[in-house]
Amino acid sequence: MTLVRRLVIASSLVFGLGLLLSLVVRIDAVADADRDLTRWLHDLAIEHHTVNDVALDVTTIGNPLTLTAFVVMAVGWLLFHRHGRTAVWLVAVTAVEAVVESLLKVVVGRARPDFDSVVLEPVSKSFPSGHAMNTTVVLGAITIAVVASATSRRSGVVPAAAAGAALVAFGVGLSRPVLGVHFASDVVAGWLLGVVWLVATRPRRDDEISAEPEPSSA
């Protein structure tokens, strides 16, 4: 399956699933639990300045500029090691995902939580959480790309890299309701949609994106 076809399928799947999830969070029982959990998480930041400060630091990892810098550095590493196809794959899956996420926000149009204590003032809509979804996709895609291109893969490296990416994505997502700029359901949806995107766009074989460097001439 070509990369373009895989991206089209992933875009349709994630967009449709996102619309479905946006309806689920409007169910009364779900919405009530969502508001209560979001309020509880945000109260942690209000009551404990350290929690607020840590959340402010962690959430910057999911900023568009930070994630773009991660992709640029990964692409540079891949090109340096002559893995051009992998670099193209990485740029394509992260760029298209960002467009899909932005379109979902516009179509769903969910308002942000209304907390007087919020110190950040996001201008976009609330569902899904871009920080959660984008961080999941960017760090996950970088992990896939680097692992697929590595010439030596030790048994413990791949699980450790995946766990590290997941932990960072979890922390970034959690920081959003703590700071009061997202409902908890926005974040859960962002994580879920990000994982689905990675599964749908991941090459079925490593050699679809990774090519051995050409041998240097003697």
PDB file of all heavy atoms in Angstrom, residues 6 29 36 40 45 56-57 59-60 76 85 121 138 158 174 177 185 199 201 206 212:
ATOM      1  N   ARG A   6      -2.305   5.192   2.253  1.00  0.00           N
ATOM      2  CA  ARG A   6      -2.365   4.964   3.688  1.00  0.00           C
ATOM      3  C   ARG A   6      -2.784   6.248   4.424  1.00  0.00           C
ATOM      4  O   ARG A   6      -3.545   6.205   5.391  1.00  0.00           O
ATOM      5  CB  ARG A   6      -1.012   4.472   4.189  1.00  0.00           C
ATOM      6  CG  ARG A   6      -1.045   3.993   5.638  1.00  0.00           C
ATOM      7  CD  ARG A   6       0.286   3.366   6.034  1.00  0.00           C
ATOM      8  NE  ARG A   6       0.471   2.100   5.357  1.00  0.00           N
ATOM      9  CZ  ARG A   6       1.465   1.833   4.522  1.00  0.00           C
ATOM     10  NH1 ARG A   6       2.362   2.759   4.259  1.00  0.00           N
ATOM     11  NH2 ARG A   6       1.574   0.658   3.957  1.00  0.00           N
ATOM     12  N   ALA A  29     -24.391  11.664  31.005  1.00  0.00           N
ATOM     13  CA  ALA A  29     -23.596  10.986  32.038  1.00  0.00           C
ATOM     14  C   ALA A  29     -22.104  11.177  31.783  1.00  0.00           C
ATOM     15  O   ALA A  29     -21.330  11.413  32.726  1.00  0.00           O
ATOM     16  CB  ALA A  29     -23.944   9.505  32.082  1.00  0.00           C
ATOM     17  N   ASP A  36     -16.580  16.922  36.085  1.00  0.00           N
ATOM     18  CA  ASP A  36     -16.100  16.675  37.451  1.00  0.00           C
ATOM     19  C   ASP A  36     -14.614  16.324  37.460  1.00  0.00           C
ATOM     20  O   ASP A  36     -13.847  16.834  38.298  1.00  0.00           O
ATOM     21  CB  ASP A  36     -16.901  15.541  38.097  1.00  0.00           C
ATOM     22  CG  ASP A  36     -18.340  15.933  38.386  1.00  0.00           C
ATOM     23  OD1 ASP A  36     -18.630  17.150  38.400  1.00  0.00           O
ATOM     24  OD2 ASP A  36     -19.177  15.025  38.582  1.00  0.00           O
ATOM     25  N   TRP A  40     -11.565  18.555  39.053  1.00  0.00           N
ATOM     26  CA  TRP A  40     -10.677  17.987  40.068  1.00  0.00           C
ATOM     27  C   TRP A  40      -9.215  18.141  39.672  1.00  0.00           C
ATOM     28  O   TRP A  40      -8.381  18.517  40.480  1.00  0.00           O
ATOM     29  CB  TRP A  40     -11.013  16.514  40.278  1.00  0.00           C
ATOM     30  CG  TRP A  40     -10.136  15.853  41.301  1.00  0.00           C
ATOM     31  CD1 TRP A  40     -10.242  15.943  42.662  1.00  0.00           C
ATOM     32  CD2 TRP A  40      -9.006  15.011  41.031  1.00  0.00           C
ATOM     33  NE1 TRP A  40      -9.237  15.206  43.271  1.00  0.00           N
ATOM     34  CE2 TRP A  40      -8.468  14.629  42.295  1.00  0.00           C
ATOM     35  CE3 TRP A  40      -8.409  14.539  39.870  1.00  0.00           C
ATOM     36  CZ2 TRP A  40      -7.352  13.804  42.402  1.00  0.00           C
ATOM     37  CZ3 TRP A  40      -7.296  13.723  39.979  1.00  0.00           C
ATOM     38  CH2 TRP A  40      -6.776  13.356  41.227  1.00  0.00           C
ATOM     39  N   ALA A  45      -3.924  22.227  40.380  1.00  0.00           N
ATOM     40  CA  ALA A  45      -3.038  23.327  40.009  1.00  0.00           C
ATOM     41  C   ALA A  45      -3.331  24.576  40.833  1.00  0.00           C
ATOM     42  O   ALA A  45      -2.421  25.355  41.144  1.00  0.00           O
ATOM     43  CB  ALA A  45      -3.181  23.640  38.519  1.00  0.00           C
ATOM     44  N   LEU A  56       2.921  23.691  33.491  1.00  0.00           N
ATOM     45  CA  LEU A  56       3.294  24.723  32.521  1.00  0.00           C
ATOM     46  C   LEU A  56       4.564  24.342  31.764  1.00  0.00           C
ATOM     47  O   LEU A  56       4.675  24.590  30.557  1.00  0.00           O
ATOM     48  CB  LEU A  56       3.493  26.062  33.224  1.00  0.00           C
ATOM     49  CG  LEU A  56       2.229  26.819  33.631  1.00  0.00           C
ATOM     50  CD1 LEU A  56       2.582  28.023  34.496  1.00  0.00           C
ATOM     51  CD2 LEU A  56       1.453  27.273  32.394  1.00  0.00           C
ATOM     52  N   ASP A  57       5.502  23.743  32.474  1.00  0.00           N
ATOM     53  CA  ASP A  57       6.751  23.316  31.817  1.00  0.00           C
ATOM     54  C   ASP A  57       6.509  22.136  30.879  1.00  0.00           C
ATOM     55  O   ASP A  57       6.998  22.124  29.741  1.00  0.00           O
ATOM     56  CB  ASP A  57       7.795  22.936  32.873  1.00  0.00           C
ATOM     57  CG  ASP A  57       8.312  24.140  33.652  1.00  0.00           C
ATOM     58  OD1 ASP A  57       8.232  25.263  33.121  1.00  0.00           O
ATOM     59  OD2 ASP A  57       8.790  23.946  34.783  1.00  0.00           O
ATOM     60  N   THR A  59       3.737  21.126  29.446  1.00  0.00           N
ATOM     61  CA  THR A  59       2.846  21.388  28.312  1.00  0.00           C
ATOM     62  C   THR A  59       3.573  22.021  27.137  1.00  0.00           C
ATOM     63  O   THR A  59       3.135  21.897  25.989  1.00  0.00           O
ATOM     64  CB  THR A  59       1.663  22.276  28.756  1.00  0.00           C
ATOM     65  OG1 THR A  59       0.543  22.048  27.882  1.00  0.00           O
ATOM     66  CG2 THR A  59       2.020  23.758  28.730  1.00  0.00           C
ATOM     67  N   THR A  60       4.715  22.688  27.399  1.00  0.00           N
ATOM     68  CA  THR A  60       5.469  23.318  26.306  1.00  0.00           C
ATOM     69  C   THR A  60       6.045  22.281  25.345  1.00  0.00           C
ATOM     70  O   THR A  60       6.328  22.610  24.186  1.00  0.00           O
ATOM     71  CB  THR A  60       6.616  24.193  26.851  1.00  0.00           C
ATOM     72  OG1 THR A  60       7.501  23.371  27.634  1.00  0.00           O
ATOM     73  CG2 THR A  60       6.079  25.313  27.718  1.00  0.00           C
ATOM     74  N   GLY A  76      16.722  15.559  10.033  1.00  0.00           N
ATOM     75  CA  GLY A  76      18.144  15.810   9.812  1.00  0.00           C
ATOM     76  C   GLY A  76      18.990  14.578  10.089  1.00  0.00           C
ATOM     77  O   GLY A  76      19.907  14.255   9.322  1.00  0.00           O
ATOM     78  N   ARG A  85      13.754   7.917   2.390  1.00  0.00           N
ATOM     79  CA  ARG A  85      12.360   7.469   2.376  1.00  0.00           C
ATOM     80  C   ARG A  85      11.733   7.571   3.762  1.00  0.00           C
ATOM     81  O   ARG A  85      10.559   7.931   3.907  1.00  0.00           O
ATOM     82  CB  ARG A  85      12.282   6.019   1.866  1.00  0.00           C
ATOM     83  CG  ARG A  85      12.477   5.878   0.360  1.00  0.00           C
ATOM     84  CD  ARG A  85      12.119   4.490  -0.113  1.00  0.00           C
ATOM     85  NE  ARG A  85      12.976   3.475   0.469  1.00  0.00           N
ATOM     86  CZ  ARG A  85      12.835   2.170   0.266  1.00  0.00           C
ATOM     87  NH1 ARG A  85      11.834   1.729  -0.482  1.00  0.00           N
ATOM     88  NH2 ARG A  85      13.673   1.299   0.814  1.00  0.00           N
ATOM     89  N   GLU A 121      -4.429  31.243  27.423  1.00  0.00           N
ATOM     90  CA  GLU A 121      -5.618  31.627  26.672  1.00  0.00           C
ATOM     91  C   GLU A 121      -5.539  31.094  25.242  1.00  0.00           C
ATOM     92  O   GLU A 121      -5.225  31.827  24.305  1.00  0.00           O
ATOM     93  CB  GLU A 121      -5.774  33.152  26.667  1.00  0.00           C
ATOM     94  CG  GLU A 121      -6.007  33.746  28.051  1.00  0.00           C
ATOM     95  CD  GLU A 121      -6.221  35.244  28.006  1.00  0.00           C
ATOM     96  OE1 GLU A 121      -6.223  35.808  26.892  1.00  0.00           O
ATOM     97  OE2 GLU A 121      -6.402  35.847  29.068  1.00  0.00           O
ATOM     98  N   VAL A 138       3.734  12.687  16.832  1.00  0.00           N
ATOM     99  CA  VAL A 138       5.110  13.104  16.526  1.00  0.00           C
ATOM    100  C   VAL A 138       6.125  12.204  17.218  1.00  0.00           C
ATOM    101  O   VAL A 138       7.046  11.671  16.578  1.00  0.00           O
ATOM    102  CB  VAL A 138       5.337  14.571  16.921  1.00  0.00           C
ATOM    103  CG1 VAL A 138       6.828  14.919  16.900  1.00  0.00           C
ATOM    104  CG2 VAL A 138       4.594  15.498  15.960  1.00  0.00           C
ATOM    105  N   VAL A 158      13.913  -0.904  21.822  1.00  0.00           N
ATOM    106  CA  VAL A 158      12.617  -0.588  21.231  1.00  0.00           C
ATOM    107  C   VAL A 158      11.531  -0.397  22.295  1.00  0.00           C
ATOM    108  O   VAL A 158      10.823   0.620  22.280  1.00  0.00           O
ATOM    109  CB  VAL A 158      12.200  -1.674  20.223  1.00  0.00           C
ATOM    110  CG1 VAL A 158      10.792  -1.395  19.694  1.00  0.00           C
ATOM    111  CG2 VAL A 158      13.193  -1.733  19.067  1.00  0.00           C
ATOM    112  N   LEU A 174      -1.919  15.153  30.088  1.00  0.00           N
ATOM    113  CA  LEU A 174      -2.423  15.380  31.443  1.00  0.00           C
ATOM    114  C   LEU A 174      -2.288  16.834  31.861  1.00  0.00           C
ATOM    115  O   LEU A 174      -3.113  17.354  32.623  1.00  0.00           O
ATOM    116  CB  LEU A 174      -1.675  14.474  32.427  1.00  0.00           C
ATOM    117  CG  LEU A 174      -2.170  14.473  33.878  1.00  0.00           C
ATOM    118  CD1 LEU A 174      -3.611  13.995  33.949  1.00  0.00           C
ATOM    119  CD2 LEU A 174      -1.269  13.595  34.740  1.00  0.00           C
ATOM    120  N   PRO A 177      -5.785  19.455  31.073  1.00  0.00           N
ATOM    121  CA  PRO A 177      -6.874  19.708  32.021  1.00  0.00           C
ATOM    122  C   PRO A 177      -6.370  20.245  33.356  1.00  0.00           C
ATOM    123  O   PRO A 177      -7.091  20.983  34.045  1.00  0.00           O
ATOM    124  CB  PRO A 177      -7.535  18.340  32.185  1.00  0.00           C
ATOM    125  CG  PRO A 177      -6.501  17.355  31.777  1.00  0.00           C
ATOM    126  CD  PRO A 177      -5.693  18.032  30.719  1.00  0.00           C
ATOM    127  N   SER A 185     -11.864  14.710  28.539  1.00  0.00           N
ATOM    128  CA  SER A 185     -12.257  13.923  27.369  1.00  0.00           C
ATOM    129  C   SER A 185     -11.548  14.394  26.103  1.00  0.00           C
ATOM    130  O   SER A 185     -11.311  13.586  25.187  1.00  0.00           O
ATOM    131  CB  SER A 185     -13.770  13.975  27.174  1.00  0.00           C
ATOM    132  OG  SER A 185     -14.198  15.312  26.966  1.00  0.00           O
ATOM    133  N   VAL A 199      -1.144   3.626  14.026  1.00  0.00           N
ATOM    134  CA  VAL A 199      -1.403   2.253  13.580  1.00  0.00           C
ATOM    135  C   VAL A 199      -1.780   2.234  12.096  1.00  0.00           C
ATOM    136  O   VAL A 199      -1.335   1.372  11.334  1.00  0.00           O
ATOM    137  CB  VAL A 199      -2.525   1.612  14.422  1.00  0.00           C
ATOM    138  CG1 VAL A 199      -2.948   0.271  13.836  1.00  0.00           C
ATOM    139  CG2 VAL A 199      -2.062   1.436  15.868  1.00  0.00           C
ATOM    140  N   THR A 201      -1.028   4.442   9.759  1.00  0.00           N
ATOM    141  CA  THR A 201      -0.010   4.950   8.834  1.00  0.00           C
ATOM    142  C   THR A 201       1.310   4.205   8.939  1.00  0.00           C
ATOM    143  O   THR A 201       2.183   4.392   8.088  1.00  0.00           O
ATOM    144  CB  THR A 201       0.269   6.443   9.083  1.00  0.00           C
ATOM    145  OG1 THR A 201       0.682   6.646  10.448  1.00  0.00           O
ATOM    146  CG2 THR A 201      -0.960   7.284   8.780  1.00  0.00           C
ATOM    147  N   ASP A 206       9.424  -2.808   7.606  1.00  0.00           N
ATOM    148  CA  ASP A 206      10.435  -1.776   7.793  1.00  0.00           C
ATOM    149  C   ASP A 206      11.038  -1.317   6.474  1.00  0.00           C
ATOM    150  O   ASP A 206      11.391  -0.150   6.309  1.00  0.00           O
ATOM    151  CB  ASP A 206      11.560  -2.281   8.706  1.00  0.00           C
ATOM    152  CG  ASP A 206      11.108  -2.398  10.156  1.00  0.00           C
ATOM    153  OD1 ASP A 206      10.035  -1.851  10.469  1.00  0.00           O
ATOM    154  OD2 ASP A 206      11.814  -3.025  10.954  1.00  0.00           O
ATOM    155  N   GLU A 212      18.956   0.695   3.159  1.00  0.00           N
ATOM    156  CA  GLU A 212      20.338   0.636   3.621  1.00  0.00           C
ATOM    157  C   GLU A 212      21.163   1.711   2.946  1.00  0.00           C
ATOM    158  O   GLU A 212      21.007   1.961   1.739  1.00  0.00           O
ATOM    159  CB  GLU A 212      20.942  -0.735   3.293  1.00  0.00           C
ATOM    160  CG  GLU A 212      20.381  -1.865   4.118  1.00  0.00           C
ATOM    161  CD  GLU A 212      20.704  -1.695   5.587  1.00  0.00           C
ATOM    162  OE1 GLU A 212      21.802  -1.210   5.908  1.00  0.00           O
ATOM    163  OE2 GLU A 212      19.861  -2.029   6.422  1.00  0.00           O
TER     164      GLU A 212
END
